[in-house]
PDB file of all heavy atoms in Angstrom:
ATOM      1  N   PHE A 140     -55.309 -46.633  46.288  1.00 88.00           N
ATOM      2  CA  PHE A 140     -53.975 -46.066  46.017  1.00 88.00           C
ATOM      3  C   PHE A 140     -53.332 -45.585  47.320  1.00 88.00           C
ATOM      4  O   PHE A 140     -52.182 -45.900  47.627  1.00 88.00           O
ATOM      5  CB  PHE A 140     -54.092 -44.901  45.020  1.00 88.00           C
ATOM      6  CG  PHE A 140     -52.791 -44.188  44.764  1.00 88.00           C
ATOM      7  CD1 PHE A 140     -51.925 -44.649  43.779  1.00 88.00           C
ATOM      8  CD2 PHE A 140     -52.425 -43.076  45.504  1.00 88.00           C
ATOM      9  CE1 PHE A 140     -50.717 -44.008  43.548  1.00 88.00           C
ATOM     10  CE2 PHE A 140     -51.210 -42.425  45.283  1.00 88.00           C
ATOM     11  CZ  PHE A 140     -50.355 -42.887  44.297  1.00 88.00           C
ATOM     12  N   TRP A 141     -54.104 -44.824  48.128  1.00 85.00           N
ATOM     13  CA  TRP A 141     -53.529 -44.269  49.363  1.00 85.00           C
ATOM     14  C   TRP A 141     -53.291 -45.349  50.409  1.00 85.00           C
ATOM     15  O   TRP A 141     -52.379 -45.235  51.226  1.00 85.00           O
ATOM     16  CB  TRP A 141     -54.416 -43.144  49.918  1.00 85.00           C
ATOM     17  CG  TRP A 141     -54.378 -41.930  49.044  1.00 85.00           C
ATOM     18  CD1 TRP A 141     -55.418 -41.344  48.386  1.00 85.00           C
ATOM     19  CD2 TRP A 141     -53.209 -41.153  48.703  1.00 85.00           C
ATOM     20  NE1 TRP A 141     -54.978 -40.260  47.650  1.00 85.00           N
ATOM     21  CE2 TRP A 141     -53.633 -40.119  47.831  1.00 85.00           C
ATOM     22  CE3 TRP A 141     -51.867 -41.228  49.042  1.00 85.00           C
ATOM     23  CZ2 TRP A 141     -52.755 -39.183  47.304  1.00 85.00           C
ATOM     24  CZ3 TRP A 141     -50.986 -40.296  48.512  1.00 85.00           C
ATOM     25  CH2 TRP A 141     -51.425 -39.292  47.657  1.00 85.00           C
ATOM     26  N   LEU A 142     -54.100 -46.424  50.358  1.00 83.00           N
ATOM     27  CA  LEU A 142     -53.861 -47.533  51.289  1.00 83.00           C
ATOM     28  C   LEU A 142     -52.506 -48.182  50.968  1.00 83.00           C
ATOM     29  O   LEU A 142     -51.713 -48.465  51.872  1.00 83.00           O
ATOM     30  CB  LEU A 142     -54.979 -48.573  51.179  1.00 83.00           C
ATOM     31  CG  LEU A 142     -54.886 -49.720  52.179  1.00 83.00           C
ATOM     32  CD1 LEU A 142     -55.185 -49.244  53.592  1.00 83.00           C
ATOM     33  CD2 LEU A 142     -55.822 -50.842  51.799  1.00 83.00           C
ATOM     34  N   ALA A 143     -52.232 -48.395  49.666  1.00 89.00           N
ATOM     35  CA  ALA A 143     -50.944 -48.976  49.254  1.00 89.00           C
ATOM     36  C   ALA A 143     -49.804 -48.018  49.598  1.00 89.00           C
ATOM     37  O   ALA A 143     -48.749 -48.429  50.072  1.00 89.00           O
ATOM     38  CB  ALA A 143     -50.961 -49.276  47.755  1.00 89.00           C
ATOM     39  N   GLU A 144     -50.035 -46.717  49.380  1.00 90.00           N
ATOM     40  CA  GLU A 144     -48.984 -45.713  49.658  1.00 90.00           C
ATOM     41  C   GLU A 144     -48.686 -45.659  51.154  1.00 90.00           C
ATOM     42  O   GLU A 144     -47.543 -45.593  51.585  1.00 90.00           O
ATOM     43  CB  GLU A 144     -49.466 -44.338  49.143  1.00 90.00           C
ATOM     44  CG  GLU A 144     -48.404 -43.249  49.193  1.00 90.00           C
ATOM     45  CD  GLU A 144     -48.387 -42.469  50.499  1.00 90.00           C
ATOM     46  OE1 GLU A 144     -49.343 -42.584  51.300  1.00 90.00           O
ATOM     47  OE2 GLU A 144     -47.403 -41.745  50.725  1.00 90.00           O
ATOM     48  N   LYS A 145     -49.747 -45.720  51.973  1.00 86.00           N
ATOM     49  CA  LYS A 145     -49.568 -45.645  53.425  1.00 86.00           C
ATOM     50  C   LYS A 145     -48.800 -46.871  53.931  1.00 86.00           C
ATOM     51  O   LYS A 145     -48.048 -46.797  54.893  1.00 86.00           O
ATOM     52  CB  LYS A 145     -50.936 -45.570  54.099  1.00 86.00           C
ATOM     53  CG  LYS A 145     -50.840 -45.181  55.562  1.00 86.00           C
ATOM     54  CD  LYS A 145     -52.134 -45.417  56.287  1.00 86.00           C
ATOM     55  CE  LYS A 145     -53.213 -44.467  55.813  1.00 86.00           C
ATOM     56  NZ  LYS A 145     -54.452 -44.662  56.567  1.00 86.00           N
ATOM     57  N   ASN A 146     -48.996 -48.013  53.253  1.00 88.00           N
ATOM     58  CA  ASN A 146     -48.262 -49.229  53.608  1.00 88.00           C
ATOM     59  C   ASN A 146     -46.864 -49.256  52.999  1.00 88.00           C
ATOM     60  O   ASN A 146     -46.152 -50.239  53.117  1.00 88.00           O
ATOM     61  CB  ASN A 146     -49.049 -50.472  53.163  1.00 88.00           C
ATOM     62  CG  ASN A 146     -50.128 -50.846  54.154  1.00 88.00           C
ATOM     63  OD1 ASN A 146     -49.842 -51.417  55.192  1.00 88.00           O
ATOM     64  ND2 ASN A 146     -51.368 -50.502  53.853  1.00 88.00           N
ATOM     65  N   ARG A 147     -46.495 -48.173  52.315  1.00 91.00           N
ATOM     66  CA  ARG A 147     -45.151 -48.034  51.717  1.00 91.00           C
ATOM     67  C   ARG A 147     -44.856 -49.122  50.689  1.00 91.00           C
ATOM     68  O   ARG A 147     -43.776 -49.695  50.656  1.00 91.00           O
ATOM     69  CB  ARG A 147     -44.054 -48.040  52.803  1.00 91.00           C
ATOM     70  CG  ARG A 147     -44.030 -46.868  53.773  1.00 91.00           C
ATOM     71  CD  ARG A 147     -44.606 -45.700  53.201  1.00 91.00           C
ATOM     72  NE  ARG A 147     -44.135 -44.377  53.465  1.00 91.00           N
ATOM     73  CZ  ARG A 147     -44.798 -43.292  53.046  1.00 91.00           C
ATOM     74  NH1 ARG A 147     -45.915 -43.409  52.386  1.00 91.00           N
ATOM     75  NH2 ARG A 147     -44.352 -42.089  53.249  1.00 91.00           N
ATOM     76  N   LYS A 148     -45.839 -49.436  49.840  1.00 93.00           N
ATOM     77  CA  LYS A 148     -45.647 -50.432  48.785  1.00 93.00           C
ATOM     78  C   LYS A 148     -45.299 -49.738  47.470  1.00 93.00           C
ATOM     79  O   LYS A 148     -45.691 -48.588  47.251  1.00 93.00           O
ATOM     80  CB  LYS A 148     -46.931 -51.250  48.590  1.00 93.00           C
ATOM     81  CG  LYS A 148     -47.441 -51.921  49.852  1.00 93.00           C
ATOM     82  CD  LYS A 148     -46.411 -52.847  50.451  1.00 93.00           C
ATOM     83  CE  LYS A 148     -46.854 -53.462  51.756  1.00 93.00           C
ATOM     84  NZ  LYS A 148     -45.777 -54.205  52.416  1.00 93.00           N
ATOM     85  N   GLY A 149     -44.592 -50.460  46.602  1.00 95.00           N
ATOM     86  CA  GLY A 149     -44.406 -49.957  45.244  1.00 95.00           C
ATOM     87  C   GLY A 149     -45.756 -49.947  44.551  1.00 95.00           C
ATOM     88  O   GLY A 149     -46.596 -50.818  44.810  1.00 95.00           O
ATOM     89  N   ILE A 150     -45.979 -48.976  43.661  1.00 95.00           N
ATOM     90  CA  ILE A 150     -47.289 -48.865  43.004  1.00 95.00           C
ATOM     91  C   ILE A 150     -47.112 -48.660  41.498  1.00 95.00           C
ATOM     92  O   ILE A 150     -46.298 -47.842  41.067  1.00 95.00           O
ATOM     93  CB  ILE A 150     -48.111 -47.678  43.575  1.00 95.00           C
ATOM     94  CG1 ILE A 150     -48.271 -47.808  45.098  1.00 95.00           C
ATOM     95  CG2 ILE A 150     -49.486 -47.600  42.916  1.00 95.00           C
ATOM     96  CD1 ILE A 150     -48.865 -46.573  45.776  1.00 95.00           C
ATOM     97  N   VAL A 151     -47.891 -49.436  40.718  1.00 96.00           N
ATOM     98  CA  VAL A 151     -47.998 -49.218  39.274  1.00 96.00           C
ATOM     99  C   VAL A 151     -49.492 -49.104  38.972  1.00 96.00           C
ATOM    100  O   VAL A 151     -50.278 -49.947  39.413  1.00 96.00           O
ATOM    101  CB  VAL A 151     -47.399 -50.396  38.474  1.00 96.00           C
ATOM    102  CG1 VAL A 151     -47.527 -50.150  36.983  1.00 96.00           C
ATOM    103  CG2 VAL A 151     -45.931 -50.626  38.844  1.00 96.00           C
ATOM    104  N   ILE A 152     -49.888 -48.055  38.254  1.00 96.00           N
ATOM    105  CA  ILE A 152     -51.303 -47.896  37.893  1.00 96.00           C
ATOM    106  C   ILE A 152     -51.513 -48.430  36.476  1.00 96.00           C
ATOM    107  O   ILE A 152     -50.824 -48.009  35.534  1.00 96.00           O
ATOM    108  CB  ILE A 152     -51.738 -46.421  37.986  1.00 96.00           C
ATOM    109  CG1 ILE A 152     -51.649 -45.937  39.445  1.00 96.00           C
ATOM    110  CG2 ILE A 152     -53.161 -46.236  37.466  1.00 96.00           C
ATOM    111  CD1 ILE A 152     -51.944 -44.458  39.642  1.00 96.00           C
ATOM    112  N   LEU A 153     -52.443 -49.392  36.335  1.00 94.00           N
ATOM    113  CA  LEU A 153     -52.764 -49.964  35.022  1.00 94.00           C
ATOM    114  C   LEU A 153     -54.180 -49.549  34.639  1.00 94.00           C
ATOM    115  O   LEU A 153     -55.137 -49.895  35.324  1.00 94.00           O
ATOM    116  CB  LEU A 153     -52.676 -51.493  35.076  1.00 94.00           C
ATOM    117  CG  LEU A 153     -51.338 -52.086  35.532  1.00 94.00           C
ATOM    118  CD1 LEU A 153     -51.419 -53.599  35.567  1.00 94.00           C
ATOM    119  CD2 LEU A 153     -50.204 -51.643  34.611  1.00 94.00           C
ATOM    120  N   VAL A 154     -54.289 -48.779  33.560  1.00 94.00           N
ATOM    121  CA  VAL A 154     -55.614 -48.376  33.072  1.00 94.00           C
ATOM    122  C   VAL A 154     -56.077 -49.471  32.114  1.00 94.00           C
ATOM    123  O   VAL A 154     -55.631 -49.545  30.966  1.00 94.00           O
ATOM    124  CB  VAL A 154     -55.545 -46.995  32.366  1.00 94.00           C
ATOM    125  CG1 VAL A 154     -56.935 -46.547  31.949  1.00 94.00           C
ATOM    126  CG2 VAL A 154     -54.920 -45.955  33.293  1.00 94.00           C
ATOM    127  N   ASN A 155     -56.963 -50.352  32.608  1.00 92.00           N
ATOM    128  CA  ASN A 155     -57.402 -51.522  31.826  1.00 92.00           C
ATOM    129  C   ASN A 155     -58.611 -51.169  30.942  1.00 92.00           C
ATOM    130  O   ASN A 155     -59.231 -50.132  31.123  1.00 92.00           O
ATOM    131  CB  ASN A 155     -57.750 -52.657  32.800  1.00 92.00           C
ATOM    132  CG  ASN A 155     -58.002 -53.971  32.087  1.00 92.00           C
ATOM    133  OD1 ASN A 155     -57.465 -54.207  31.009  1.00 92.00           O
ATOM    134  ND2 ASN A 155     -58.827 -54.819  32.664  1.00 92.00           N
ATOM    135  N   LYS A 156     -58.932 -52.062  30.005  1.00 89.00           N
ATOM    136  CA  LYS A 156     -60.049 -51.891  29.054  1.00 89.00           C
ATOM    137  C   LYS A 156     -59.813 -50.673  28.155  1.00 89.00           C
ATOM    138  O   LYS A 156     -60.766 -49.997  27.741  1.00 89.00           O
ATOM    139  CB  LYS A 156     -61.402 -51.762  29.794  1.00 89.00           C
ATOM    140  CG  LYS A 156     -61.663 -52.891  30.802  1.00 89.00           C
ATOM    141  CD  LYS A 156     -63.042 -52.806  31.421  1.00 89.00           C
ATOM    142  CE  LYS A 156     -63.235 -53.835  32.514  1.00 89.00           C
ATOM    143  NZ  LYS A 156     -64.525 -53.784  33.189  1.00 89.00           N
ATOM    144  N   TRP A 157     -58.541 -50.395  27.876  1.00 89.00           N
ATOM    145  CA  TRP A 157     -58.196 -49.236  27.041  1.00 89.00           C
ATOM    146  C   TRP A 157     -58.718 -49.404  25.610  1.00 89.00           C
ATOM    147  O   TRP A 157     -58.928 -48.442  24.889  1.00 89.00           O
ATOM    148  CB  TRP A 157     -56.679 -49.021  27.055  1.00 89.00           C
ATOM    149  CG  TRP A 157     -56.250 -47.701  26.510  1.00 89.00           C
ATOM    150  CD1 TRP A 157     -55.406 -47.474  25.462  1.00 89.00           C
ATOM    151  CD2 TRP A 157     -56.651 -46.402  26.976  1.00 89.00           C
ATOM    152  NE1 TRP A 157     -55.249 -46.119  25.250  1.00 89.00           N
ATOM    153  CE2 TRP A 157     -55.999 -45.442  26.165  1.00 89.00           C
ATOM    154  CE3 TRP A 157     -57.488 -45.955  27.992  1.00 89.00           C
ATOM    155  CZ2 TRP A 157     -56.176 -44.072  26.348  1.00 89.00           C
ATOM    156  CZ3 TRP A 157     -57.657 -44.589  28.166  1.00 89.00           C
ATOM    157  CH2 TRP A 157     -57.005 -43.668  27.354  1.00 89.00           C
ATOM    158  N   ASP A 158     -58.956 -50.670  25.210  1.00 87.00           N
ATOM    159  CA  ASP A 158     -59.475 -50.934  23.862  1.00 87.00           C
ATOM    160  C   ASP A 158     -60.918 -50.463  23.712  1.00 87.00           C
ATOM    161  O   ASP A 158     -61.418 -50.299  22.598  1.00 87.00           O
ATOM    162  CB  ASP A 158     -59.389 -52.439  23.540  1.00 87.00           C
ATOM    163  CG  ASP A 158     -60.019 -53.289  24.638  1.00 87.00           C
ATOM    164  OD1 ASP A 158     -59.708 -53.023  25.821  1.00 87.00           O
ATOM    165  OD2 ASP A 158     -60.814 -54.191  24.337  1.00 87.00           O
ATOM    166  N   LEU A 159     -61.610 -50.220  24.836  1.00 86.00           N
ATOM    167  CA  LEU A 159     -63.026 -49.816  24.772  1.00 86.00           C
ATOM    168  C   LEU A 159     -63.213 -48.298  24.748  1.00 86.00           C
ATOM    169  O   LEU A 159     -64.328 -47.802  24.649  1.00 86.00           O
ATOM    170  CB  LEU A 159     -63.791 -50.366  25.982  1.00 86.00           C
ATOM    171  CG  LEU A 159     -63.773 -51.890  26.170  1.00 86.00           C
ATOM    172  CD1 LEU A 159     -64.547 -52.280  27.419  1.00 86.00           C
ATOM    173  CD2 LEU A 159     -64.370 -52.589  24.942  1.00 86.00           C
ATOM    174  N   VAL A 160     -62.106 -47.556  24.870  1.00 83.00           N
ATOM    175  CA  VAL A 160     -62.209 -46.093  24.986  1.00 83.00           C
ATOM    176  C   VAL A 160     -62.035 -45.435  23.620  1.00 83.00           C
ATOM    177  O   VAL A 160     -61.132 -45.777  22.859  1.00 83.00           O
ATOM    178  CB  VAL A 160     -61.126 -45.559  25.967  1.00 83.00           C
ATOM    179  CG1 VAL A 160     -61.122 -44.044  26.011  1.00 83.00           C
ATOM    180  CG2 VAL A 160     -61.358 -46.131  27.352  1.00 83.00           C
ATOM    181  N   GLU A 161     -62.952 -44.490  23.307  1.00 81.00           N
ATOM    182  CA  GLU A 161     -62.812 -43.697  22.076  1.00 81.00           C
ATOM    183  C   GLU A 161     -61.573 -42.819  22.204  1.00 81.00           C
ATOM    184  O   GLU A 161     -61.397 -42.117  23.193  1.00 81.00           O
ATOM    185  CB  GLU A 161     -64.051 -42.792  21.910  1.00 81.00           C
ATOM    186  CG  GLU A 161     -65.331 -43.535  21.583  1.00 81.00           C
ATOM    187  CD  GLU A 161     -65.328 -44.114  20.180  1.00 81.00           C
ATOM    188  OE1 GLU A 161     -64.780 -43.457  19.278  1.00 81.00           O
ATOM    189  OE2 GLU A 161     -65.833 -45.235  20.000  1.00 81.00           O
ATOM    190  N   LYS A 162     -60.699 -42.861  21.206  1.00 76.00           N
ATOM    191  CA  LYS A 162     -59.429 -42.147  21.353  1.00 76.00           C
ATOM    192  C   LYS A 162     -59.281 -41.020  20.349  1.00 76.00           C
ATOM    193  O   LYS A 162     -59.762 -41.074  19.232  1.00 76.00           O
ATOM    194  CB  LYS A 162     -58.263 -43.122  21.182  1.00 76.00           C
ATOM    195  CG  LYS A 162     -58.301 -44.236  22.213  1.00 76.00           C
ATOM    196  CD  LYS A 162     -57.215 -45.234  22.045  1.00 76.00           C
ATOM    197  CE  LYS A 162     -57.462 -46.441  22.910  1.00 76.00           C
ATOM    198  NZ  LYS A 162     -58.664 -47.165  22.639  1.00 76.00           N
ATOM    199  N   ASP A 163     -58.588 -39.968  20.790  1.00 75.00           N
ATOM    200  CA  ASP A 163     -58.084 -38.965  19.853  1.00 75.00           C
ATOM    201  C   ASP A 163     -56.634 -38.707  20.256  1.00 75.00           C
ATOM    202  O   ASP A 163     -56.097 -39.364  21.135  1.00 75.00           O
ATOM    203  CB  ASP A 163     -58.936 -37.679  19.907  1.00 75.00           C
ATOM    204  CG  ASP A 163     -58.987 -37.087  21.305  1.00 75.00           C
ATOM    205  OD1 ASP A 163     -57.907 -36.980  21.931  1.00 75.00           O
ATOM    206  OD2 ASP A 163     -60.085 -36.734  21.775  1.00 75.00           O
ATOM    207  N   THR A 164     -55.986 -37.770  19.620  1.00 66.00           N
ATOM    208  CA  THR A 164     -54.537 -37.598  19.819  1.00 66.00           C
ATOM    209  C   THR A 164     -54.169 -37.264  21.263  1.00 66.00           C
ATOM    210  O   THR A 164     -53.076 -37.539  21.712  1.00 66.00           O
ATOM    211  CB  THR A 164     -53.989 -36.483  18.902  1.00 66.00           C
ATOM    212  OG1 THR A 164     -54.843 -35.344  19.062  1.00 66.00           O
ATOM    213  CG2 THR A 164     -53.976 -36.920  17.473  1.00 66.00           C
ATOM    214  N   MET A 165     -55.081 -36.644  22.004  1.00 71.00           N
ATOM    215  CA  MET A 165     -54.742 -36.193  23.352  1.00 71.00           C
ATOM    216  C   MET A 165     -55.234 -37.135  24.459  1.00 71.00           C
ATOM    217  O   MET A 165     -54.983 -36.893  25.615  1.00 71.00           O
ATOM    218  CB  MET A 165     -55.363 -34.802  23.610  1.00 71.00           C
ATOM    219  CG  MET A 165     -54.811 -33.711  22.740  1.00 71.00           C
ATOM    220  SD  MET A 165     -53.087 -33.387  23.112  1.00 71.00           S
ATOM    221  CE  MET A 165     -53.272 -32.417  24.602  1.00 71.00           C
ATOM    222  N   THR A 166     -55.934 -38.215  24.092  1.00 85.00           N
ATOM    223  CA  THR A 166     -56.619 -39.011  25.116  1.00 85.00           C
ATOM    224  C   THR A 166     -55.689 -39.488  26.223  1.00 85.00           C
ATOM    225  O   THR A 166     -55.932 -39.230  27.388  1.00 85.00           O
ATOM    226  CB  THR A 166     -57.324 -40.227  24.485  1.00 85.00           C
ATOM    227  OG1 THR A 166     -58.165 -39.761  23.452  1.00 85.00           O
ATOM    228  CG2 THR A 166     -58.168 -40.945  25.515  1.00 85.00           C
ATOM    229  N   THR A 167     -54.599 -40.202  25.873  1.00 89.00           N
ATOM    230  CA  THR A 167     -53.732 -40.771  26.920  1.00 89.00           C
ATOM    231  C   THR A 167     -53.116 -39.662  27.769  1.00 89.00           C
ATOM    232  O   THR A 167     -53.050 -39.778  28.989  1.00 89.00           O
ATOM    233  CB  THR A 167     -52.599 -41.636  26.327  1.00 89.00           C
ATOM    234  OG1 THR A 167     -51.976 -40.915  25.288  1.00 89.00           O
ATOM    235  CG2 THR A 167     -53.118 -42.948  25.816  1.00 89.00           C
ATOM    236  N   ARG A 168     -52.683 -38.589  27.097  1.00 89.00           N
ATOM    237  CA  ARG A 168     -52.025 -37.506  27.848  1.00 89.00           C
ATOM    238  C   ARG A 168     -53.005 -36.870  28.851  1.00 89.00           C
ATOM    239  O   ARG A 168     -52.677 -36.637  30.002  1.00 89.00           O
ATOM    240  CB  ARG A 168     -51.488 -36.449  26.882  1.00 89.00           C
ATOM    241  CG  ARG A 168     -50.380 -35.610  27.521  1.00 89.00           C
ATOM    242  CD  ARG A 168     -49.934 -34.486  26.631  1.00 89.00           C
ATOM    243  NE  ARG A 168     -49.675 -34.914  25.270  1.00 89.00           N
ATOM    244  CZ  ARG A 168     -49.473 -34.076  24.256  1.00 89.00           C
ATOM    245  NH1 ARG A 168     -49.519 -32.771  24.456  1.00 89.00           N
ATOM    246  NH2 ARG A 168     -49.232 -34.519  23.046  1.00 89.00           N
ATOM    247  N   ASP A 169     -54.231 -36.602  28.376  1.00 91.00           N
ATOM    248  CA  ASP A 169     -55.240 -35.986  29.256  1.00 91.00           C
ATOM    249  C   ASP A 169     -55.606 -36.919  30.409  1.00 91.00           C
ATOM    250  O   ASP A 169     -55.740 -36.501  31.556  1.00 91.00           O
ATOM    251  CB  ASP A 169     -56.510 -35.641  28.467  1.00 91.00           C
ATOM    252  CG  ASP A 169     -56.274 -34.493  27.493  1.00 91.00           C
ATOM    253  OD1 ASP A 169     -55.198 -33.874  27.630  1.00 91.00           O
ATOM    254  OD2 ASP A 169     -57.111 -34.246  26.626  1.00 91.00           O
ATOM    255  N   TYR A 170     -55.789 -38.189  30.071  1.00 91.00           N
ATOM    256  CA  TYR A 170     -56.182 -39.190  31.065  1.00 91.00           C
ATOM    257  C   TYR A 170     -55.106 -39.297  32.142  1.00 91.00           C
ATOM    258  O   TYR A 170     -55.391 -39.292  33.338  1.00 91.00           O
ATOM    259  CB  TYR A 170     -56.349 -40.544  30.362  1.00 91.00           C
ATOM    260  CG  TYR A 170     -57.370 -41.464  30.986  1.00 91.00           C
ATOM    261  CD1 TYR A 170     -58.616 -41.656  30.405  1.00 91.00           C
ATOM    262  CD2 TYR A 170     -57.079 -42.160  32.159  1.00 91.00           C
ATOM    263  CE1 TYR A 170     -59.548 -42.516  30.979  1.00 91.00           C
ATOM    264  CE2 TYR A 170     -58.008 -43.015  32.734  1.00 91.00           C
ATOM    265  CZ  TYR A 170     -59.242 -43.191  32.132  1.00 91.00           C
ATOM    266  OH  TYR A 170     -60.161 -44.037  32.703  1.00 91.00           O
ATOM    267  N   GLU A 171     -53.854 -39.359  31.685  1.00 93.00           N
ATOM    268  CA  GLU A 171     -52.732 -39.480  32.623  1.00 93.00           C
ATOM    269  C   GLU A 171     -52.627 -38.232  33.507  1.00 93.00           C
ATOM    270  O   GLU A 171     -52.399 -38.322  34.711  1.00 93.00           O
ATOM    271  CB  GLU A 171     -51.427 -39.681  31.837  1.00 93.00           C
ATOM    272  CG  GLU A 171     -50.270 -40.056  32.713  1.00 93.00           C
ATOM    273  CD  GLU A 171     -49.012 -40.422  31.904  1.00 93.00           C
ATOM    274  OE1 GLU A 171     -49.143 -41.072  30.850  1.00 93.00           O
ATOM    275  OE2 GLU A 171     -47.925 -40.043  32.351  1.00 93.00           O
ATOM    276  N   ARG A 172     -52.816 -37.059  32.891  1.00 93.00           N
ATOM    277  CA  ARG A 172     -52.724 -35.805  33.651  1.00 93.00           C
ATOM    278  C   ARG A 172     -53.777 -35.772  34.767  1.00 93.00           C
ATOM    279  O   ARG A 172     -53.504 -35.391  35.895  1.00 93.00           O
ATOM    280  CB  ARG A 172     -52.890 -34.609  32.708  1.00 93.00           C
ATOM    281  CG  ARG A 172     -52.769 -33.247  33.405  1.00 93.00           C
ATOM    282  CD  ARG A 172     -52.821 -32.116  32.399  1.00 93.00           C
ATOM    283  NE  ARG A 172     -53.914 -32.236  31.448  1.00 93.00           N
ATOM    284  CZ  ARG A 172     -55.194 -31.971  31.710  1.00 93.00           C
ATOM    285  NH1 ARG A 172     -55.552 -31.547  32.913  1.00 93.00           N
ATOM    286  NH2 ARG A 172     -56.118 -32.114  30.784  1.00 93.00           N
ATOM    287  N   LYS A 173     -55.007 -36.225  34.424  1.00 93.00           N
ATOM    288  CA  LYS A 173     -56.084 -36.232  35.424  1.00 93.00           C
ATOM    289  C   LYS A 173     -55.737 -37.140  36.601  1.00 93.00           C
ATOM    290  O   LYS A 173     -55.959 -36.793  37.757  1.00 93.00           O
ATOM    291  CB  LYS A 173     -57.394 -36.719  34.784  1.00 93.00           C
ATOM    292  CG  LYS A 173     -58.148 -35.594  34.062  1.00 93.00           C
ATOM    293  CD  LYS A 173     -59.446 -36.106  33.499  1.00 93.00           C
ATOM    294  CE  LYS A 173     -60.012 -35.104  32.493  1.00 93.00           C
ATOM    295  NZ  LYS A 173     -60.866 -35.735  31.500  1.00 93.00           N
ATOM    296  N   ILE A 174     -55.194 -38.328  36.298  1.00 93.00           N
ATOM    297  CA  ILE A 174     -54.829 -39.262  37.373  1.00 93.00           C
ATOM    298  C   ILE A 174     -53.751 -38.635  38.250  1.00 93.00           C
ATOM    299  O   ILE A 174     -53.823 -38.677  39.483  1.00 93.00           O
ATOM    300  CB  ILE A 174     -54.347 -40.615  36.796  1.00 93.00           C
ATOM    301  CG1 ILE A 174     -55.507 -41.352  36.116  1.00 93.00           C
ATOM    302  CG2 ILE A 174     -53.757 -41.492  37.904  1.00 93.00           C
ATOM    303  CD1 ILE A 174     -55.125 -42.634  35.420  1.00 93.00           C
ATOM    304  N   ARG A 175     -52.747 -38.025  37.629  1.00 93.00           N
ATOM    305  CA  ARG A 175     -51.645 -37.438  38.417  1.00 93.00           C
ATOM    306  C   ARG A 175     -52.148 -36.294  39.301  1.00 93.00           C
ATOM    307  O   ARG A 175     -51.658 -36.087  40.401  1.00 93.00           O
ATOM    308  CB  ARG A 175     -50.514 -36.965  37.513  1.00 93.00           C
ATOM    309  CG  ARG A 175     -49.802 -38.117  36.825  1.00 93.00           C
ATOM    310  CD  ARG A 175     -48.402 -37.802  36.366  1.00 93.00           C
ATOM    311  NE  ARG A 175     -47.883 -38.854  35.496  1.00 93.00           N
ATOM    312  CZ  ARG A 175     -47.395 -40.014  35.906  1.00 93.00           C
ATOM    313  NH1 ARG A 175     -47.344 -40.271  37.206  1.00 93.00           N
ATOM    314  NH2 ARG A 175     -46.956 -40.909  35.059  1.00 93.00           N
ATOM    315  N   GLU A 176     -53.145 -35.566  38.808  1.00 93.00           N
ATOM    316  CA  GLU A 176     -53.735 -34.503  39.649  1.00 93.00           C
ATOM    317  C   GLU A 176     -54.405 -35.113  40.888  1.00 93.00           C
ATOM    318  O   GLU A 176     -54.321 -34.580  41.985  1.00 93.00           O
ATOM    319  CB  GLU A 176     -54.778 -33.713  38.848  1.00 93.00           C
ATOM    320  CG  GLU A 176     -54.157 -32.681  37.908  1.00 93.00           C
ATOM    321  CD  GLU A 176     -55.190 -32.082  36.949  1.00 93.00           C
ATOM    322  OE1 GLU A 176     -56.408 -32.326  37.132  1.00 93.00           O
ATOM    323  OE2 GLU A 176     -54.771 -31.382  36.006  1.00 93.00           O
TER     324      GLU A 176
END
């Protein structure tokens, strides 16, 4: 991520294999919050 940022590239984060993750109502929100931190 920081290599792309240092090169001043546009960045999109794709969390793949989402079908394999056990989900509850807060999963995506918590996961996203952790990445942003």
Side-chain angles (χ1 to χ4, degrees):
F140 175 87
W141 290 119
L142 184 70
E144 188 270 347
K145 193 193 292 183
N146 278 283
R147 294 334 215 188
K148 304 302 176 188
I150 304 170
V151 180
I152 295 175
L153 303 179
V154 184
N155 189 28
K156 308 185 186 178
W157 194 238
D158 51 313
L159 302 179
V160 175
E161 290 290 324
K162 300 178 191 61
D163 57 47
T164 49
M165 295 294 282
T166 306
T167 49
R168 201 185 312 169
D169 290 349
Y170 210 104
E171 190 173 321
R172 182 175 48 76
K173 276 182 194 154
I174 292 175
R175 293 202 191 281
E176 281 170 10

